Amino acid sequence: MNRTLPKFVAVGAAAALLAACAGGTQAASDSEDGDGGSKTLTLASVDQGSIEPVVQAFEKANPGVKVEFTTSAADQYQQQIRTQLASGTAPDVMSVWPGNGNPGATYVLAKPGYLMDLSDQPWAGKYPDALKTVTQYEGKTYNAVYGLNAIGAIYNVEALEKSGLEAPATWSDVIPFCQAAAEKKTPAFALGIQDNWVTQLVLYSLVASTLYPDDPDFDTRMADGQATFTGSAWEQALAKYQEMFDAGCFQKDPLGTSYEASQALAADGRTLGVVQGNWIVSLLKEKNPDASFTFKPLPALDDEAKTLIPAAAGAGYGINAKTKNKDLALKFVSFVMSPEGMKLFVEAQGGIPALPDSGAEVDPTLQDVATYINDDRTVPFMDQLWPNPKVQQTMLSGLQEIFSGQSTGKEMFAAMDSDYEAGE
């Protein structure tokens, strides 16, 4: 697959005017209805900060219904959900990622029969073909994706203005920008790679431009066995990531910094920004309501015309195939995919709706995202159509090992190639 997903994202954004992730752990405390029956829905989510208003609105629209929900970080969630599904202890509704890139992804959970077929739901018929690709397994829909996400550099506007620096527009600007920021005792970017899913985001931002402008069919060639990570522009992107790391683009001890701690650094202006997905915007504003933020591409080339950003469908919701609460679970997912539910989600999360006519207002922070989408200057999240989740897990652990001096890019890419070649 080459540019199919990006074209979909552009269409979706234009019609409405692009997935991973959340931090922290939280549990609802007011969710008992006393009867233990079908009016209580159980829900596991990674949408911290944005699931809460959706749950409140759903309960208000359905008097007597209570939603018992938990939120957790992506790493923790992905480790737990497969075990819960296999043991029969999973909730009625759960976060599910598009495609096949991680242990909580659509293909991975649908293949063994853990997810309910949602193909007959009205919203499923509205999906464009490209979105169907990552929400279906063997032609059946299993994932209710409500929003589109993008990855880039998100700057604290006030901190950037105070520094007197300008966000880099080309790769030649990046290292001098980082060095100047370090001299002012305010590192350029917060990086919380204690949570290993965060390690991929800078790499994805860089590989979008180092690889795809000159090789838009790379993913198709990979699938056909005609290309490998080794020897590709992935190596160039990793070298730039390492150069940023060595040049002090990030705060001290990224490996000892959690995702949540990185939010605080960027929100308070102790760094000028953070390389993350647009989903972090609402969390930054929550930590510092007086601050404003702006999304910019992280450049990897000196030709601005070739700069692309990763943008694709974000995490959605699936229903446990063994739920004893089918009707209420379907009602909740239908609410998520309704104009009201989608609007609540994307406005709370700082995203863009997956389907048109939600009435959602796109956060001004994401103006550059909208521009890149409308100009068709996006590429998919790289892992979504990899043949198995092991490829991504190898990359995530490999990046941590690289930055702790325990491994090399050559070793990581060779292991990723081996996992990719293993297929499903």
Side-chain angles (χ1 to χ4, degrees):
M1 180 177 181
N2 47 20
R3 298 292 298 282
T4 304
L5 269 175
K7 289 177 181 176
F8 153 68
V9 174
V11 171
L17 327 155
L18 212 203
C21 297
T25 302
Q26 175 180 328
S29 60
D30 59 349
S31 57
E32 295 183 6
D33 67 359
D35 63 10
S38 63
K39 288 193 173 183
T40 299
L41 181 76
T42 55
L43 168 69
S45 174
V46 295
D47 292 316
Q48 182 189 14
S50 52
I51 188 63
E52 293 85 351
V54 176
V55 167
Q56 292 170 5
F58 178 72
E59 289 180 339
K60 183 176 180 180
N62 295 275
V65 167
K66 294 294 181 182
V67 180
E68 294 181 346
F69 72 97
T70 60
T71 64
S72 55
D75 291 343
Q76 177 185 350
Y77 178 89
Q78 290 171 11
Q79 291 170 5
Q80 293 175 346
I81 195 64
R82 181 72 180 259
T83 300
Q84 292 174 343
L85 286 164
S87 65
T89 60
D92 299 315
V93 179
M94 68 208 77
S95 288
V96 177
W97 281 265
N100 198 32
N102 66 61
T106 303
Y107 301 0
V108 178
L109 299 183
K111 184 177 180 180
Y114 291 140
L115 299 179
M116 181 185 294
D117 180 5
L118 303 175
S119 304
D120 61 351
Q121 298 302 298
W123 50 263
K126 298 178 183 179
Y127 278 157
D129 289 343
L131 189 51
K132 291 178 182 178
T133 302
V134 293
T135 58
Q136 293 183 345
Y137 178 73
E138 294 186 342
K140 296 180 179 179
T141 301
Y142 294 94
N143 194 349
V145 169
Y146 59 84
L148 309 172
N149 293 321
I151 301 170
I154 299 167
Y155 295 96
N156 182 314
V157 174
E158 290 74 21
L160 194 61
E161 291 177 346
K162 183 178 179 180
S163 74
L165 302 175
E166 293 186 3
T170 68
W171 172 250
S172 292
D173 298 332
V174 172
I175 301 303
F177 172 77
C178 292
Q179 293 171 336
E183 289 176 4
K184 295 175 182 293
K185 309 300 182 184
T186 309
F189 303 110
L191 183 64
I193 57 175
Q194 180 178 325
D195 292 281
N196 74 347
W197 69 268
V198 178
T199 60
Q200 67 196 307
L201 302 180
V202 173
L203 183 58
Y204 281 10
S205 293
L206 296 170
V207 83
S209 297
T210 61
L211 174 62
Y212 289 95
D214 295 329
D215 195 357
D217 296 322
F218 178 80
D219 292 317
T220 299
R221 295 194 301 110
M222 280 282 289
D224 291 340
Q226 299 174 0
T228 59
F229 295 110
T230 301
S232 75
W234 276 88
E235 292 183 341
Q236 181 184 351
L238 177 59
K240 292 177 184 292
Y241 192 177
Q242 291 178 285
E243 187 177 352
M244 291 178 66
F245 198 92
D246 294 340
C249 287
F250 311 111
Q251 85 289 348
K252 291 182 179 179
D253 193 22
L255 284 162
T257 304
S258 69
Y259 170 52
E260 187 167 1
S262 72
Q263 296 170 31
L265 291 172
D268 297 340
R270 285 176 283 162
T271 64
L272 300 183
V274 59
V275 179
Q276 263 288 346
N278 57 265
W279 54 80
I280 203 176
V281 171
S282 63
L283 301 174
L284 296 176
K285 290 181 176 180
E286 185 177 296
K287 290 183 181 296
N288 188 354
D290 296 327
S292 54
F293 303 90
T294 186
F295 180 108
K296 300 289 183 182
L298 179 64
L301 302 173
D302 287 337
D303 184 350
E304 290 185 56
K306 286 188 174 182
T307 296
L308 305 177
I309 63 172
Y317 285 93
I319 297 177
N320 184 346
K322 294 184 178 180
T323 180
K324 296 180 180 179
N325 213 0
K326 178 180 177 181
D327 290 344
L328 190 55
L330 285 169
K331 182 176 287 189
F332 179 81
V333 168
S334 294
F335 183 79
V336 167
M337 297 302 289
S338 70
E340 180 182 0
M342 197 172 292
K343 183 175 187 293
L344 284 168
F345 252 128
V346 299
E347 290 184 356
Q349 202 174 71
I352 293 173
L355 298 177
D357 304 324
S358 72
E361 295 183 10
V362 177
D363 193 306
T365 300
L366 304 181
Q367 184 55 53
D368 268 28
V369 177
T371 299
Y372 271 74
I373 288 170
N374 289 329
D375 291 346
D376 194 22
R377 296 175 63 187
T378 65
V379 296
F381 290 171
M382 293 74 191
D383 60 273
Q384 286 189 352
L385 290 179
W386 289 346
N388 62 68
K390 186 68 166 60
V391 183
Q392 186 193 50
Q393 298 307 305
T394 295
M395 177 186 65
L396 297 179
S397 59
L399 287 169
Q400 286 187 322
E401 290 171 359
I402 288 169
F403 291 123
S404 62
Q406 301 176 61
S407 186
T408 66
K410 181 178 180 180
E411 292 172 315
M412 181 185 77
F413 287 129
M416 290 172 64
D417 283 330
S418 178
D419 289 333
Y420 191 102
E421 291 168 7
E424 293 188 11

